[in-house]
Amino acid sequence: MKVIVTGASRGIGRAIAMKFLSQGHNVTGLDIAPSTIDDGRYSHVITDILEGDLPEIGDVEILINNAGVQDSGRDIDVNLKGTIRITEKYAFRKGIRSVLFIASASATTGSEFPEYVASKGGMVSYMKNVALRLAPYGATANSLSPGGVLTPLNSRVIDDDEKWSRIMELTPLGKWASADEIAEWAYFLTVVNKSMTAQDLLIDNGEAAKAEFVW
């Protein structure tokens, strides 16, 4: 299948691109940074999802909206408006099978930087709109909302012993997901899944369920 992954240069996006390549799919990555992926079935386009030129890519079957920024002053513009721009260009066409949005657990909990929370919450709402509009094509649209993920983006807390200890205290399963695990979820929702649509999946090791009962 022909797959587009935004934000494919590192972290979750790179892991998703590598997962699809490992299964024999053709992947185009869109990112503001260059890529280190070396695979004949991978092509990389350096562009800004909000303001850059978007290439003409025909016969897209799967679109994965992963690109985003955090606490940048541009979170709503890039994470929400940029994602809308990408989706409106590539999703609504004959042959589309699935659109996936990489949101955030903070879209549910509100526990993050204000504009980041707003951008991801808006993404989840937009996903539901997309799901309704994709249904006539027989295609699905869902979102994944990871909690903590072991990526360089989160190094500021991963590498801080005090902050990391507190985070683990508040995480029932006592761990964070890897980027490869999120990639497995992404593959399942877009390739294996045929019937679930308009849903947001919270993959957070129990963070949102944490409750301290005092007797």
Side-chain angles (χ1 to χ4, degrees):
M1 285 188 282
K2 184 178 286 188
V3 184
I4 294 177
V5 181
T6 67
S9 288
R10 64 175 186 166
I12 292 173
R14 188 181 192 280
I16 290 172
M18 293 301 294
K19 173 63 180 179
F20 277 88
L21 289 169
S22 74
Q23 299 301 308
H25 302 287
N26 296 305
V27 179
T28 299
L30 306 181
D31 203 302
I32 60 172
S35 173
T36 59
I37 296 176
D38 183 15
D39 189 298
R41 285 169 286 110
Y42 181 77
S43 59
H44 192 76
V45 178
I46 297 178
T47 191
D48 184 312
I49 64 169
L50 178 65
E51 299 173 335
D53 293 333
L54 300 180
E56 295 301 323
I57 304 173
D59 301 323
V60 176
E61 294 168 271
I62 294 174
L63 170 62
I64 299 179
N65 286 299
N66 168 75
V69 294
Q70 182 185 61
D71 196 28
S72 68
R74 302 178 66 228
D75 290 18
I76 291 175
D77 284 337
V78 175
N79 299 353
L80 183 54
K81 293 181 180 179
T83 293
I84 291 173
R85 182 182 183 227
I86 290 289
T87 305
E88 296 299 324
K89 180 171 180 65
Y90 295 117
F92 300 97
R93 60 180 68 198
K94 183 179 180 180
I96 190 72
R97 293 184 49 158
S98 186
V99 176
L100 181 65
F101 299 83
I102 306 301
S104 169
S106 65
T108 296
T109 64
S111 181
E112 255 281 10
F113 304 105
E115 286 196 11
Y116 185 78
V117 167
S119 71
K120 294 299 187 175
M123 180 186 287
V124 172
S125 294
Y126 175 64
M127 172 274 292
K128 295 177 184 293
N129 172 273
V130 170
L132 294 174
R133 294 160 60 205
L134 279 182
Y137 295 87
T140 64
N142 295 287
S143 56
L144 271 178
S145 283
V149 181
L150 298 169
T151 67
L153 184 67
N154 293 314
S155 61
R156 71 178 76 177
V157 294
I158 294 171
D159 297 336
D160 185 310
D161 291 342
E162 183 176 346
K163 290 179 180 177
W164 184 249
S165 177
R166 179 57 179 156
I167 289 169
M168 289 299 99
E169 288 176 5
L170 297 172
T171 307
L173 289 182
K175 66 180 182 65
W176 274 8
S178 67
D180 288 340
E181 181 183 352
I182 301 303
E184 293 286 347
W185 280 103
Y187 191 84
F188 175 82
L189 285 177
T190 55
V191 177
V192 180
N193 168 54
K194 301 294 190 301
S195 300
M196 186 179 74
T197 196
Q199 301 300 312
D200 178 55
L201 264 64
L202 193 61
I203 312 298
D204 72 343
N205 285 292
E207 291 174 34
K210 180 69 173 179
E212 297 182 11
F213 177 65
V214 180
W215 183 257

